[in-house]
Amino acid sequence: MENKKQDTASALKDIISHAKEYGFVFPSSEIYDGLQAVYDYGQNGVELKNNLKTVWYKAMTMLNDNVVGLDASIFMHPLTWKASGHVDSFNDPMIDNKDSKKRYRADTLLEERAAQLEDEGKEAEAKALLQKMAKCLDAGDLEGVRQIIIDENIKCPVSNTANWTEVRQFNLMFSTQVGAVSEDASLIYLRPETAQGIFVNFLNVQKTGRMKVPFGIAQIGKAFRNEIVARNFIFRMREFEQMEMQFFVRPGTEMEWYAKWKETRMKFHLALGIPATSLKFHDHDKLAHYANAAVDIEYKFPFGFKEMEGIHSRTDFDLKAHQDLSRKKQQYFDPEINENYIPYVVETSVGADRLFLAILCNAYTEETVGEGEQEKQRVFLNFHPALAPVKVAVLPLVKKDGLAEKAQEITNSIKFAFNTTYDDGGAIGKRYTRQDLIGTPYCVVVDYQTMEDNTVTVRDRNTMTQERISIADLKEKIGYAVSMERIFEKLLS
Ligand code: GAP
């Protein structure tokens, strides 16, 4: 019987240790005790992450005739961040506990208090608390935010005291110096979102690609945020990767496109194998200054439903701000209506790492197999075959009598078509388990019958059943099963 441990606090711990033990995610610079909120992807993690990036990028650029790619730099002219509003308002309110010296996000402390009230059935109180906080934050009343924390008697979980500092705004952008000589050096930021690289290249792409509005630009790249509290493994990191697409539309049509992209993006996550019960939309209660509509796609992580992707109707805020500050027109001449305008933008923005975590949590499966004395626990990663780091493991039943050589030959004949591994170490059961633990969908076994009739058995990861097929059919059969086309077909249906 399947037993997905996704709702308990220990589920995340199990997933984190599994990710480390089987080469998916390691803490950064671990030999120096790691660096908080920074992680490295191991030999299996990089394959899974690359598959997620490829499927996203192709779904954007190959399935939509009017979406093209871009790869902009991490460093940008510092005025970019002035125009976008990040210099002045990309802040989180922080507060320190004087006894434990621990730092917290003041809004998170209050949100957690509201969640606690909700759990106690005091929904109205929770709502009133959040409204009070939003009012203070909107008015920039940080003393007011502190007062709510005091009134609610919120204590630091480490010192168990309410000995709080004042609340201060903390800008999340990392900065550094560019230039060799310190006097000439100027301040530069590590981009906190990839979107601005798209905005400043809007006209370059539109003109050189002869793009007609509506059209989109898709990009994958690193982003950096000096998060005050980084928690929950790779969910909130200081260095992470975003997959963003800005879709430029005629003003007045943005809500239609917003609805379309909302639906398309939800379909994408479903096509990757995430069940509908683990996904939901969450409309933003409070809109950012640049947005006229915004929604999150939330995934049911072991620590609750949380944002995985944001879809925002960003109006003409960014292009207009860049036009004003750079004094370069950011307009498009629309031949259909004979008018010049600054396009409106609908943005889809998903964190590659958050999607990775969602896919990993969704795949992590524990089940009991066998009966009586034979009963045992089995763990496997139930990835969509197209996303699995390794697609096929070729295993000779024994190393002798030419079986190992035959298995090598088969490996060499398919390894350029899909990611294939060869393993002849240990009992066959142990080798199946090794592949289950990293989510390999198929194990091809070479046995004595193979030597007679050129057939092999193919074991399915999920059902553990075996099918005998001809070696000549392997490439095509497995090729189809592990192909991303199966995901794209779902997206187009
Ligand atoms: N351009 C819009 C934008 O950046 P956002 O909601 O701040 O919007 C978009 O970020 C997505 O980027 C989030 O939905 C999340 O998946 C990912 N993301 C944001 N901050 C992150 C962090 N500190 N660590 C990992 N992923 C993050």
Side-chain angles (χ1 to χ4, degrees), residues 258-316:
Y258 174 73
K260 181 201 170 279
W261 281 110
K262 219 177 124 174
E263 189 200 330
T264 306
R265 295 304 304 147
M266 182 57 101
K267 227 173 158 184
F268 175 83
H269 298 297
L270 293 168
L272 298 190
I274 303 180
T277 47
S278 297
L279 292 166
K280 70 173 186 196
F281 285 119
H282 177 246
D283 283 309
H284 286 205
D285 306 324
K286 183 179 158 287
L287 292 175
H289 56 287
Y290 54 76
N292 62 3
V295 68
D296 292 336
I297 296 179
E298 293 188 339
Y299 172 73
K300 193 178 179 199
F301 290 100
F303 39 89
F305 269 106
K306 293 275 182 271
E307 173 185 350
M308 176 165 66
E309 168 152 6
I311 298 147
H312 314 119
S313 172
R314 289 180 78 130
T315 68
D316 59 356

Side-chain angles (χ1 to χ4, degrees), residues 19-51:
K20 186 171 173 223
E21 193 163 347
Y22 297 103
F24 284 88
V25 182
F26 306 127
S28 158
S29 29
E30 197 186 3
I31 57 167
Y32 296 103
D33 297 332
L35 180 65
Q36 214 203 354
V38 187
Y39 289 90
D40 298 338
Y41 287 85
Q43 70 280 14
N44 290 315
V46 67
E47 295 292 335
L48 174 60
K49 197 174 181 200
N50 282 343
N51 290 339

Side-chain angles (χ1 to χ4, degrees), residues 193 195 225 227 234-237 240 242 244 307-310 312 314 347 349-351 354:
E193 63 170 9
R225 295 182 190 177
E227 300 283 359
I234 55 171
F235 179 81
R236 194 176 301 286
M237 295 195 285
F240 57 99
Q242 287 186 316
E244 299 202 293
E307 173 185 350
M308 176 165 66
E309 168 152 6
H312 314 119
R314 289 180 78 130
E347 167 186 75
S349 174
V350 57
R354 276 199 198 169

